[in-house]
């Protein structure tokens, strides 16, 4: 079976029913509209890479089901090597796009998580979810799908559970169970790469109890399914991306985040993998975060690589040697390697689930998430520090002014500094700005969940009593040292 190509992928996207809006406008063709074509291009590069002899080992793998060569992002992750393969692919993606390709990431993780959860549910309850999921994965591998993944609900009041919200639709829920499927309503927000996806894997956004069983659902839907409206979020580089000079002002690649609005969407049974089994939502979140928070090290490191590169270019274009900033560049590299190394460490310390799925070590993975929400911001700060004022937002005129027949020659004089042309300095400055505050920001803070949630897991997986025992024994303290009694 030949791997799908960029052309196959773009043709498949064009066949989908238009259901994505931005600035109130319906986007007829996501592959050409300025608001979505960059995220599509980022994802199309994955198909190029899978068909490129030099990159195919990173972007493709042998199917554990059929023995055929398949796109890596449709594969089962069943070993440490598979998870590290996920990290390598994401780092490479960032190096080639500068940004996030969420639709070859979150859906992939979701299907592997559900492989394990389905097997647990089937064993305990006699259901047949895993076979359904297998059928869908086989078709995803055959069609070479790109699949976004949606967990994050609109949530409403953060102190209340879904069933306690004033509006029951603030979280995606099962509104009706029919013999042939389910009807779902509600919203999932900030879903990466939706516009570039063919399908969307929906998972519960949190751990639920019986009162919230209607919110306990996992299924996969075509991106253009009836009843689903998608609204693209806006960001600082929007205006530039819509202008005709965008080819100079922004990269050809990029990322978008969609708001998914479900109004009575019918999902047939063969696409439903968890339906009200609320007890298993904890497993979904546990397995999902372990692998996602390990592998996100590959993403932020790949973008860090590009930030280092952009900083080297800016130093030279400003007239300075990159060596002037050796200390800062090394600090950027150190931060990169901490997140990559922790991610890879979490993969190495992981374990195989009886279903065959492989999950990273939670303690190390959640530690990585906290680092991912911290260290890249220092790398961004250093990118801005090295580049100078024109790298910070709001300090450099537009390319239309750069080329203005009346005064453009003066702007070009002002921008010519060290090595390279004024135009190259313009472009490198825009790239640094984009990487640090624009579309290139990969969701280090909240993507994959907020760091405080990760810290909670680190707290519960740090055995304080055991460590106190090591300390007590080493210095020969004979008595037990217990927590003080609380004053009543
Ligand atoms: C660039 C980007 C890409 C993303 N891509 C995806 C995607 O592809 N798929 C997807 O499903 N999601 C995606 N997300 C969403 C992401 O998972 C969420 O942003 C994240 O889980 C945090 O949720 P929130 O934004 O609703 O923040 P909130 O939940 O409002 O959190 C805000 C702050 O409040 C704290 N907080 C929240 N609730 C409580 C509480 N009850 N008690 C104490 N503190 C609390 C949090 O720790 C955090 O510090 C993406 C986000 C970003 C920024």
């Amino acid at each position: 079976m030949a791997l799908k190509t960029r052309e196959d992928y773009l043709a498949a996207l064009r066949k989908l029913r238009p259901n994505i809006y931005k600035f109130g406008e319906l986007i007829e063709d996501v592959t050409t509209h300025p608001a979505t074509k960059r995220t599509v291009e980022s994802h199309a590069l994955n198909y190029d890479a899978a068909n490129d002899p030099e990159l195919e080992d990173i972007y493709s793998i042998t199917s554990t089901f059929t023995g055929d060569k398949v796109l890596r992002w449709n594969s089962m992750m069943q070993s440490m090597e598979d998870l590290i393969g996920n990290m390598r692919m994401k780092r490479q993606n960032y190096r080639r796009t500068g940004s996030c390709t969420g639709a070859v990431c979150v859906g992939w993780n979701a299907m592997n998580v559900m492989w394990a959860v389905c097997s647990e549910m089937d064993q305990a309850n006699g259901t047949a979810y895993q076979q359904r999921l297998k059928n869908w994965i086989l078709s995803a591998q055959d069609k070479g799908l790109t699949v976004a993944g949606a967990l994050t609900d609109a949530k409403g009041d953060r102190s209340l559970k879904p069933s306690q919200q004033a509006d029951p639709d603030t979280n995606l829920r099962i509104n009706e169970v029919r013999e042939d499927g389910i009807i779902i309503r509600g919203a999932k927000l900030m879903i990466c790469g939706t516009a570039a996806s063919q399908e969307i894997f929906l998972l519960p956004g949190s751990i639920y109890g019986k009162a919230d069983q209607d919110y306990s659902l996992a299924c996969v839907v075509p991106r253009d399914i009836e009843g689903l409206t998608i609204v693209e979020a806006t960001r600082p580089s929007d205006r530039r991306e819509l202008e005709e000079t965008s080819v100079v002002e922004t990269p050809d690649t990029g990322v978008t985040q969609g708001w998914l609005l479900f109004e009575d969407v019918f999902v047939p049974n063969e696409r439903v993998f968890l339906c009200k089994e609320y007890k298993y939502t904890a497993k979904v979140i546990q397995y999902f975060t372990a692998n996602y928070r390990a592998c996100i090290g590959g993403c932020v490191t790949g973008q860090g690589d590009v930030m280092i590169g952009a900083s080297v270019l800016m130093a030279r274009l400003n007239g300075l040697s990159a060596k002037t900033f050796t200390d800062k560049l090394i600090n950027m590299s150190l931060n990169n390697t901490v997140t990559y190394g922790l991610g890879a460490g979490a993969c190495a310390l992981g374990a195989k689930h009886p279903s065959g799925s492989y999950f990273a070590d939670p303690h190390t993975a959640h530690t990585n998430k906290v680092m991912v929400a911290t260290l890249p911001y220092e790398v961004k700060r250093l990118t801005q520090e090295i580049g100078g004022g024109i790298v910070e937002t709001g300090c450099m005129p537009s390319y239309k002014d750069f080329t203005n027949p009346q005064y453009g020659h003066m702007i070009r004089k002002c921008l010519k500094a060290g090595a390279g042309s004024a135009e190259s300095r313009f472009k490198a400055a825009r790239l640094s700005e984009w990487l640090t505050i624009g579309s290139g920001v990969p969701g280090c803070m909240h993507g994959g969940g907020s760091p405080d949630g990760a810290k909670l897991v680190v707290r519960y997986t740090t055995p304080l009593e055991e460590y106190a025992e090591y300390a007590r024994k080493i210095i020969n303290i004979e008595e037990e040292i217990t927590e003080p009694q609380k004053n009543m």
Side-chain angles (χ1 to χ4, degrees):
M1 182 177 65
L3 291 182
K4 296 292 179 202
T5 63
R6 155 190 291 268
E7 289 72 28
D8 298 325
Y9 165 63
L10 296 179
L13 285 183
R14 285 193 200 102
K15 279 196 193 132
L16 296 178
R17 174 182 75 91
N19 63 338
I20 302 183
Y21 291 80
K22 184 156 181 170
F23 297 131
E25 180 199 337
L26 177 64
I27 296 176
E28 294 288 347
D29 181 356
V30 292
T31 66
T32 54
H33 192 285
T36 48
K37 68 178 184 185
R38 290 178 181 78
T39 187
V40 170
E41 173 60 19
S42 289
H43 289 79
L45 285 171
N46 286 262
Y47 290 87
D48 292 344
N51 287 288
D52 176 345
E54 280 190 16
L55 291 170
E56 64 179 344
D57 70 312
I58 299 182
Y59 286 83
S60 63
I61 195 167
T62 304
S63 167
T64 50
F65 295 126
T66 62
D68 289 334
K69 191 173 163 187
V70 294
L71 300 167
R72 185 178 282 272
W73 61 93
N74 287 325
S75 69
M76 304 310 291
M77 291 182 277
Q78 303 201 320
S79 66
M80 174 190 79
E81 288 77 16
D82 290 344
L83 273 195
I84 292 180
N86 177 323
M87 291 188 69
R88 282 177 71 214
M89 188 183 107
K90 288 182 187 167
R91 187 172 191 171
Q92 191 63 29
N93 269 355
Y94 266 88
R95 286 174 172 175
R96 287 152 52 86
T97 66
S99 188
C100 169
T101 45
V104 293
C105 166
V106 192
W108 180 20
N109 197 22
M111 73 189 195
N112 278 278
V113 165
M114 287 314 298
W115 184 253
V117 177
C118 285
S119 88
E120 289 182 29
M121 286 191 294
D122 289 353
Q123 278 197 11
N125 308 328
T127 46
Y129 283 127
Q130 203 185 42
Q131 185 57 46
R132 273 188 198 173
L133 179 63
K134 182 176 172 184
N135 294 343
W136 178 80
I137 296 172
L138 283 171
S139 88
Q141 293 187 343
D142 184 45
K143 294 179 192 156
L145 290 183
T146 284
V147 185
L151 292 85
T152 310
D153 298 275
K155 293 182 186 169
D157 182 333
R158 270 58 179 166
S159 67
L160 300 176
K161 293 183 187 312
S163 56
Q164 297 169 330
Q165 299 292 336
D167 186 335
D169 292 342
T170 43
N171 294 269
L172 188 68
R173 67 190 169 99
I174 301 167
N175 196 29
E176 192 186 332
V177 180
R178 291 191 190 165
E179 210 164 294
D180 52 349
I182 55 174
I183 306 280
I184 58 175
R185 285 187 67 79
K188 295 276 187 191
L189 308 189
M190 298 176 269
I191 309 310
C192 222
T194 314
S197 69
Q198 291 150 279
E199 301 214 2
I200 307 167
F201 215 119
L202 305 169
L203 290 183
S206 189
I207 299 170
Y208 299 133
K210 189 166 174 40
D212 293 307
Q213 62 177 344
D214 290 350
Y215 297 87
S216 308
L217 73 121
C219 60
V220 67
V221 296
R223 195 218 73 201
D224 63 345
I225 194 168
E226 265 325 304
L228 171 61
T229 303
I230 299 167
V231 179
E232 284 291 344
T234 174
R235 55 174 178 275
S237 48
D238 266 337
R239 186 154 169 260
R240 285 184 199 147
E241 290 177 7
L242 296 174
E243 282 176 352
E244 65 198 38
T245 53
S246 66
V247 63
V248 185
E249 300 247 9
T250 69
D252 297 335
T253 48
V255 62
T256 62
Q257 256 76 239
W259 286 37
L260 278 45
L261 314 173
F262 294 86
E263 291 182 286
D264 291 329
V265 171
F266 173 71
V267 187
N269 280 335
E270 62 265 24
R271 287 174 164 271
V272 177
F273 312 120
L274 189 151
C275 178
K276 300 200 182 195
E277 288 90 348
Y278 62 89
K279 286 183 184 156
Y280 291 88
T281 56
K283 291 294 180 75
V284 173
I285 300 297
Q286 180 191 334
Y287 299 152
F288 185 91
T289 53
N291 281 1
Y292 194 87
R293 292 175 179 186
C295 296
I296 196 175
C299 307
V300 296
T301 311
Q303 203 200 33
D305 297 338
V306 181
M307 284 191 273
I308 293 173
S311 300
V312 168
L313 294 183
M314 275 311 295
R316 291 178 184 155
L317 287 157
N318 285 345
L320 298 170
S321 161
K323 287 188 193 125
T324 317
F325 301 106
T326 299
D327 191 49
K328 290 183 174 58
L329 294 168
I330 296 305
N331 280 338
M332 293 163 89
S333 180
L334 287 173
N335 285 351
N336 268 358
T337 305
V338 169
T339 47
Y340 197 75
L342 261 179
C347 298
L349 295 171
K352 208 168 168 76
H353 183 272
S355 65
S357 291
Y358 184 91
F359 295 112
D361 170 58
H363 180 81
T364 321
H366 288 270
T367 302
N368 192 39
K369 169 68 227 201
V370 178
M371 292 300 108
V372 161
T374 312
L375 301 181
Y377 291 94
E378 175 65 0
V379 178
K380 290 174 197 305
R381 191 187 72 71
L382 290 167
T383 305
Q384 295 201 345
E385 191 178 344
I386 293 170
I390 56 170
V391 158
E392 284 198 57
T393 195
C395 286
M396 190 168 69
S398 73
Y399 193 67
K400 272 192 182 155
D401 296 307
F402 183 97
T403 50
N404 182 280
Q406 190 188 333
Y407 53 80
H409 63 286
M410 288 303 292
I411 291 187
R412 293 194 289 277
K413 267 185 207 283
C414 299
L415 273 170
K416 173 71 183 121
S421 64
E423 179 158 319
S424 294
R425 187 159 175 253
F426 179 95
K427 283 183 169 179
R430 277 287 188 260
L431 174 65
S432 296
E433 182 196 3
W434 184 84
L435 289 165
T436 53
I437 63 155
S439 174
V441 177
C444 333
M445 182 58 70
H446 291 293
S450 308
D452 271 1
K455 273 191 191 164
L456 267 184
V457 179
V458 174
R459 184 177 128 201
Y460 289 122
T461 53
T462 303
L464 297 180
E465 294 306 323
E466 183 187 328
Y467 293 172
E469 278 302 281
Y470 298 145
R472 189 171 72 85
K473 284 184 181 154
I474 284 173
I475 199 63
N476 299 318
I477 293 174
E478 299 294 334
E479 60 177 334
E480 295 277 325
I481 309 293
T482 56
E483 282 284 301
Q485 294 294 314
K486 279 198 181 134
N487 289 334
M488 300 301 283

